Amino acid sequence: MRHAISLAAAAAALATPAIAAESVTVQSLLAQDFTVVGTAAPAGGGGVVYLQKKEKLYFCFVAETPNSPFVATRYCKPVQ
């Protein structure tokens, strides 16, 4: 997790939003050739996925729901 936080801090000055935040999911970023560069498991539940493509870095929060067969993206935000 420290690596992911360090990576986020290092890229923060270079990151620029490329996509409207309301339409961004982990799946949509992966389809645009973003790479998973880190993950974390917050104590409160869910998960965090860091995705990067060149100088663009995104923080995504994912969580499962009891009735869903998959883990869903709750939101993704560009790191600035």
Side-chain angles (χ1 to χ4, degrees), residues 21-48:
E22 58 272 7
S23 65
V24 178
T25 65
V26 171
Q27 186 173 2
S28 71
L29 290 171
L30 290 172
Q32 295 177 49
D33 297 325
F34 277 74
T35 303
V36 174
V37 294
T39 61
V48 173

Side-chain angles (χ1 to χ4, degrees), residues 7-63:
L7 179 61
L14 301 174
T16 57
I19 306 165
E22 58 272 7
S23 65
V24 178
T25 65
V26 171
Q27 186 173 2
S28 71
L29 290 171
L30 290 172
Q32 295 177 49
D33 297 325
F34 277 74
T35 303
V36 174
V37 294
T39 61
V48 173
V49 181
Y50 294 94
L51 296 108
Q52 184 174 18
K53 180 178 177 181
K54 297 184 181 179
E55 74 281 355
K56 300 170 189 157
L57 179 66
Y58 274 81
F59 167 97
C60 297
F61 182 75
V62 298

Side-chain angles (χ1 to χ4, degrees), residues 42 44-49 61-75:
V48 173
V49 181
F61 182 75
V62 298
E64 67 174 334
T65 58
N67 297 325
S68 177
F70 55 87
V71 175
T73 303
R74 295 295 183 206
Y75 59 86

